[in-house]
Amino acid sequence: MCCRHRIFSIILSILSLDSLWAEPLPETKPLTRDGDIAAQMVEGIDKYLMRELAASVEKRKQYWRPDFSSAEAYTKSVQPNRERLKKLLGVVDERVSPVVMKYIGADTPSPLVAETDLYKVYTVRWPVLPSVDGEGLLLEPKGKIAVAQVVALPDADWTPEMLVGLTPGVPKESQYARRLAENGCRVLVPVLIDRKDTWSGNPKLDRMTNQPHREFIYRMAYEMGRHIIGYEVQKVLSAVDWFCPKKEPRPIGVFGYGEGGLLALYTAALDSRIQAAVVSGYDGPRVSSWQEPIYRNLSGIAREFGTAQLALLVMPRSLTLDCNKRPVIAGPPAPHAGRSGAAPGQLTTGRRKDNKLTLYKELEEDRENIQKAARIAHIKKPLLVSSESDWPGDQTTLSIFLSALVGQETEAKPSRQFPRHDSRFALDPAPRQKRQFDQLVAFTQKLMRDSERYRQQHFWAKLDTSSLENYQKTCEPFRKQLWEEVLGKLPAPTLPMNPQTRQIYDEPKWKGYEVTLDLYPDVFAYGILLLPKDLKAGEKRPVVVCQHGLEGRPTDVCNPRQRTKYYNSFGAQLADRGFIVYAPQNPYIGHDKFRVLQRKANPLGLSLFSFIVRQHERTLDWLATLPHVDPERMAFYGLSYGGKTAMRVPALLSRYCLSICSGDFNEWIRKNVSIDYPGSYMFSGEYEMPEFNLGHTFNYAEMAALIAPRPFMVERGHDDPVGVDEWVAYEYAKVRRLYSRLQMPERTEIEFFAGGHEIHGQGTFRFLQKHLNWPK
């Protein structure tokens, strides 16, 4: 009986303890969520993004003001849209002018590599950007002036020779470059960067990846405000530049399949000199584009442009969308021989009937404006063509294209002649592909090296340090730029905070509570609050927001019994010293589950930090309501990805009175773009790291400038593989110089310590004590 009584007493004690720990904080509701709250946060953000992608179709209309009173008025009215599209594609560099087409021999004494009775085939090269050329084949009609001039764009994995019929790989009936030449056109067939991974890496560093060549260039270019798509559009536009100065001008067209179809659509949308375009094997940017290979990821494209809107930019010129099958890409090359890190993404296809239905739905988004544009252009032929085969370039499509170019009904002549043998015996296209790849890599690496000078001219030179008031005033436009143009700004939260809490820790010096705060439907903030037990009535103390890193959780920061080698339970240590501590859950958890959020956010002009900033803003709103929190002393301290947060969030939210960046401060642009540093994100699987055009806007010194004049500190372990001491010191020197110019050098510090990627908690704790005046 006594034993039963003891067991019953133990059960009652456990139940009482559970009841105690379930108690919420005053003025909050009980938190009843079960399961993995961090995973639920990621799922909620995903739901929000899927809703916004679907809603973007209707929201695009706000960016368009077409004038249909005449063809000229219409073209002028959509020019602002065209200029914004250029920026999204990274078509911002001035091209080489004039364009001189070079006829080059390739292992032969002559550039002439093949001919028929109707045309000759030459190997050619033309300048595009400084040290960047286009290469390919030029088909010139024999004995007569060309009826039209066409850039024929193959899919990325097709060579120009395949499209001309010199090597196998494309069915004869789909060799549209050859067929157009047979019909009297001058045809230029450029080389595109392919999807192999042969050169994706740096063999000198033994850092090779399985990223397709297109992704490898995309990653570095995206950070610099450029794009693999933009680079290749520039090559086509440079060809158009060459076409134009001819003594006897001829109509210009573009015809492409797969990646070539994508380029044909974007190029025709940008350049009104192109009179006709055929887009085959590409449906245009869609709300599901996040599932495609990452080298098609375009920042902000879904806000303003879908297939229908790109069609509006091409019109009133001729546009034909071919409904044949699309290229099938199962994903990047499989990991092999130590190569990995490529982003997931695939291309699928359907039946021709299904493809036509997909394109029809895309065009239905703006049917009214498309019909009006068609009327002013007197377009009789339909935009959509249901192909007679699974491959591009059938008789119907070619006839529509030729008719649009020559201005009268024209029937494409049937295929008649194939080029005789290629004089370049057993051509190996790899050296040419490598030249094209290396040129774009070198161009982008130079952009990275030159970006510091650009930021000096466009950022630092515009800061007025003559007074604190003037300085803060000149910072505001840059703060707006970082939030709205680089990271992406969400609208203000639409839901009340609805704080929900429950106790999960009861330590000798403090108690800990889980907290959730609502922002939008399905989107909430989550974290752990540590409250010292010795708080007195009416007392106000500083709060330190302690941020975990990649794949971390608030418990890594707060649990005193689980000291990981990285975090050293620094939140618990600070709570032991009497600070109020809050450890937020950031959504960079779940591996590809959170990285896919970035893929879904980018087309909306958003990023993961669009949500992180709003979550922190809401957290500060709530913390400021707590009776013992001093809202003037709310500080930030983050490690690793939390250090990345320490640079971005306090730069935007001035209620953070100071910021400490641990294990992340760096020459960040070089870290993301360089191929000469083994620790570069160019070689890793963290494909979400590039932020569009960050390289020309904000490195870490510029972000720290937006934190100034508030106190700012860097914590750096000598052996931290995230960076190298020299880079960190170089970037920090700019910060130290700024604080000196503001006459407050004591407000910034850097601590180097013997150690690695971890919270050291020595100089930083003293920095907190000094600037938060706690303990007193």
Side-chain angles (χ1 to χ4, degrees):
M1 189 71 177
C2 182
C3 181
R4 288 180 181 177
H5 180 74
R6 281 200 303 270
I7 293 172
F8 184 67
S9 298
I10 292 170
I11 292 173
L12 282 177
S13 298
I14 292 172
L15 290 175
S16 298
L17 184 61
D18 285 345
S19 175
L20 170 67
W21 281 25
E23 284 295 311
L25 284 168
E27 307 299 326
T28 69
K29 297 177 182 177
L31 176 59
T32 58
R33 282 182 183 269
D34 292 321
D36 188 339
I37 300 180
Q40 294 168 26
M41 173 192 289
V42 172
E43 291 169 6
I45 294 173
D46 185 84
K47 291 177 182 178
Y48 179 96
L49 287 169
M50 291 303 292
R51 285 196 302 268
E52 287 301 303
L53 283 169
S56 68
V57 175
E58 185 64 27
K59 291 181 179 180
R60 286 173 196 152
K61 295 177 181 178
Q62 65 183 301
Y63 296 100
W64 294 80
R65 297 290 184 272
D67 180 351
F68 296 107
S69 60
S70 69
E72 293 76 16
Y74 174 74
T75 300
K76 183 178 179 181
S77 69
V78 297
Q79 188 61 30
N81 304 89
R82 187 171 283 121
E83 294 302 320
R84 289 192 289 270
L85 179 61
K86 283 183 182 178
K87 187 175 180 181
L88 297 184
L89 295 172
V91 181
V92 295
D93 298 293
E94 185 175 351
R95 294 189 297 279
V96 173
S97 180
V99 178
V100 177
M101 188 67 65
K102 296 180 181 179
Y103 293 75
I104 56 174
D107 301 324
T108 65
S110 170
L112 180 64
V113 297
E115 63 180 309
T116 73
D117 294 339
L118 299 174
Y119 59 88
K120 294 182 178 181
V121 183
Y122 298 93
T123 52
V124 293
R125 180 182 299 141
W126 64 99
V128 181
L129 301 170
S131 301
V132 174
D133 300 322
E135 288 194 60
L137 297 178
L138 177 66
L139 285 63
E140 287 277 17
K142 277 186 175 180
K144 61 178 182 180
I145 297 174
V147 299
Q149 304 181 100
V150 178
V151 181
L153 294 152
D155 182 45
D157 290 331
W158 293 357
T159 65
E161 288 74 19
M162 292 178 185
L163 210 53
V164 174
L166 290 171
T167 58
V170 176
K172 292 179 179 179
E173 62 273 15
S174 295
Q175 295 166 4
Y176 46 87
R178 174 182 61 80
R179 302 246 0 238
L180 288 165
E182 289 176 351
N183 281 272
C185 297
R186 170 188 285 121
V187 183
L188 181 63
V189 191
V191 174
L192 300 190
I193 299 300
D194 66 23
R195 302 185 182 97
K196 297 176 182 177
D197 65 357
T198 312
W199 305 294
S200 295
N202 187 338
K204 293 180 181 179
L205 300 177
D206 194 26
R207 295 287 279 157
M208 300 301 292
T209 77
N210 68 326
Q211 297 170 36
H213 293 143
R214 299 186 72 80
E215 178 182 344
F216 195 73
I217 293 171
Y218 155 84
R219 285 200 190 189
M220 63 179 78
Y222 195 85
E223 186 85 357
M224 302 309 302
R226 308 300 192 271
H227 206 286
I228 178 62
I229 294 173
Y231 285 151
E232 293 188 326
V233 165
Q234 290 275 46
K235 293 185 178 186
V236 182
L237 292 175
S238 186
V240 174
D241 294 340
W242 179 70
F243 284 157
C244 284
K246 303 304 176 188
K247 293 180 181 179
E248 298 186 36
R250 287 292 178 266
I252 298 171
V254 289
F255 193 128
Y257 174 75
E259 296 306 311
L262 175 152
L263 295 173
L265 180 56
Y266 283 121
T267 307
L270 292 182
D271 197 330
S272 58
R273 295 175 298 175
I274 296 169
Q275 291 160 258
V278 172
V279 176
S280 185
Y282 177 62
D283 295 330
R286 298 177 292 164
V287 295
S288 60
S289 292
W290 58 270
Q291 298 173 303
E292 296 178 352
I294 198 168
Y295 47 79
R296 289 186 172 187
N297 180 48
L298 289 165
S299 177
I301 190 73
R303 286 189 301 193
E304 189 168 351
F305 303 100
T307 307
Q309 289 71 36
L310 293 176
L312 285 172
L313 288 184
V314 179
M315 298 173 80
R317 295 162 289 137
S318 173
L319 173 63
T320 302
L321 302 173
D322 199 347
C323 303
N324 52 21
K325 285 192 175 181
R326 283 69 180 109
V328 176
I329 305 297
H336 63 101
R339 291 172 177 256
S340 62
Q346 60 183 2
L347 299 176
T348 59
T349 190
R351 298 174 301 172
R352 295 193 299 275
K353 180 180 178 181
D354 296 331
N355 293 337
K356 184 173 184 178
L357 181 60
T358 297
L359 279 170
Y360 180 79
K361 289 180 178 178
E362 294 290 324
L363 295 175
E364 276 290 295
E365 292 176 6
D366 210 345
R367 179 177 59 177
E368 181 181 352
N369 282 337
I370 287 175
Q371 289 174 341
K372 289 178 180 178
R375 281 197 292 271
I376 63 171
H378 308 292
I379 292 176
K380 297 178 181 178
K381 293 291 183 181
L383 281 171
L384 294 181
V385 174
S386 187
S387 294
E388 299 165 4
S389 71
D390 289 341
W391 292 82
D394 63 14
Q395 189 73 11
T396 302
T397 305
L398 284 173
S399 297
I400 292 173
F401 184 56
L402 288 168
S403 298
L405 285 172
V406 302
Q408 61 185 29
E409 198 74 27
T410 302
E411 187 70 22
K413 298 173 184 176
S415 181
R416 292 181 290 174
Q417 291 191 352
F418 296 93
R420 303 183 186 99
H421 72 281
D422 190 330
S423 62
R424 302 164 297 172
F425 180 72
L427 170 72
D428 179 6
R432 181 181 61 191
Q433 176 71 211
K434 189 173 190 302
R435 275 196 305 273
Q436 294 282 284
F437 174 83
D438 286 346
Q439 285 181 358
L440 292 179
V441 169
F443 181 84
T444 312
Q445 294 296 301
K446 187 174 187 304
L447 284 177
M448 174 198 70
R449 293 191 299 272
D450 293 346
S451 65
E452 183 169 15
R453 183 168 64 250
Y454 184 93
R455 294 191 304 273
Q456 175 63 39
Q457 295 169 351
H458 294 83
F459 180 88
W460 294 103
K462 296 182 179 181
L463 295 181
D464 184 350
T465 57
S466 62
S467 72
L468 198 54
E469 182 182 358
N470 289 344
Y471 177 75
Q472 292 174 320
K473 184 177 179 181
T474 54
C475 279
E476 283 312 305
F478 294 110
R479 186 171 285 111
K480 185 174 186 289
Q481 181 186 23
L482 176 61
W483 198 345
E484 296 181 4
E485 297 180 23
V486 179
L487 302 181
K489 187 174 184 178
L490 286 169
T494 58
L495 296 179
M497 281 193 289
N498 186 31
Q500 300 180 46
T501 65
R502 66 184 166 211
Q503 186 178 342
I504 60 168
Y505 293 122
D506 191 352
E507 297 299 315
K509 294 185 177 181
W510 48 268
K511 293 181 179 181
Y513 299 83
E514 284 186 300
V515 181
T516 64
L517 304 166
D518 292 339
L519 282 85
Y520 313 96
D522 300 311
V523 179
F524 60 92
Y526 164 62
I528 294 176
L529 175 71
L530 308 184
L531 286 176
K533 290 182 176 179
D534 62 349
L535 287 165
K536 298 178 177 61
E539 181 185 10
K540 299 281 187 179
R541 289 192 191 176
V543 57
V544 182
V545 175
C546 298
Q547 188 64 67
H548 64 77
L550 180 66
E551 299 294 337
R553 295 175 183 272
T555 50
D556 297 329
V557 171
C558 296
N559 192 338
R561 295 174 182 79
Q562 187 180 345
R563 286 203 173 192
T564 66
K565 64 177 181 178
Y566 303 119
Y567 298 105
N568 293 315
S569 298
F570 74 107
Q573 289 191 59
L574 289 169
D576 284 341
R577 285 166 166 78
F579 288 96
I580 298 172
V581 170
Y582 188 83
Q585 175 71 62
N586 272 6
Y588 37 75
I589 187 169
H591 304 285
D592 273 345
K593 287 185 178 179
F594 89 79
R595 293 191 168 98
V596 167
L597 296 183
Q598 189 87 321
R599 289 295 314 274
K600 294 178 179 180
N602 282 171
L604 295 165
L606 302 173
S607 68
L608 206 61
F609 272 94
S610 304
F611 293 90
I612 292 171
V613 172
R614 285 301 191 192
Q615 287 173 322
H616 277 260
E617 183 181 53
R618 175 122 296 188
T619 297
L620 294 176
D621 289 342
W622 180 68
L623 288 172
T625 68
L626 300 183
H628 294 292
V629 167
D630 182 351
E632 301 299 317
R633 292 186 292 167
M634 297 191 290
F636 190 98
Y637 186 177
L639 171 70
S640 193
Y641 225 122
K644 184 178 179 181
T645 309
M647 299 309 304
R648 288 157 180 78
V649 173
L652 299 179
L653 303 182
S654 58
R655 282 187 295 171
Y656 276 123
C657 69
L658 68 76
S659 182
I660 300 174
C661 176
S662 178
D664 192 72
F665 191 88
N666 218 322
E667 217 284 17
W668 184 255
I669 305 306
R670 197 171 292 270
K671 165 84 172 176
N672 275 271
V673 179
S674 174
I675 59 170
D676 296 316
Y677 169 54
S680 171
Y681 286 122
M682 284 297 302
F683 308 126
S684 80
E686 293 168 274
Y687 56 83
E688 84 287 357
M689 282 297 178
E691 296 159 288
F692 189 69
N693 203 30
L694 193 70
H696 283 104
T697 51
F698 300 93
N699 205 338
Y700 272 11
E702 286 79 17
M703 293 183 196
L706 299 183
I707 295 172
R710 292 164 286 158
F712 172 72
M713 183 173 180
V714 172
E715 184 177 49
R716 160 74 192 170
H718 287 305
D719 300 322
D720 190 341
V722 162
V724 293
D725 287 349
E726 292 81 357
W727 284 12
V728 174
Y730 178 81
E731 190 70 8
Y732 177 75
K734 305 171 199 174
V735 180
R736 182 67 168 74
R737 180 175 59 203
L738 171 66
Y739 276 79
S740 292
R741 287 176 176 170
L742 292 172
Q743 305 297 312
M744 47 186 65
E746 73 284 353
R747 290 195 180 187
T748 185
E749 295 181 24
I750 186 169
E751 180 190 34
F752 290 96
F753 64 91
H757 191 64
E758 61 184 303
I759 293 288
H760 187 52
Q762 300 297 316
T764 52
F765 282 18
R766 290 192 294 271
F767 190 79
L768 289 169
Q769 180 178 354
K770 173 183 175 181
H771 291 287
L772 296 180
N773 192 28
W774 184 266
K776 293 183 179 181

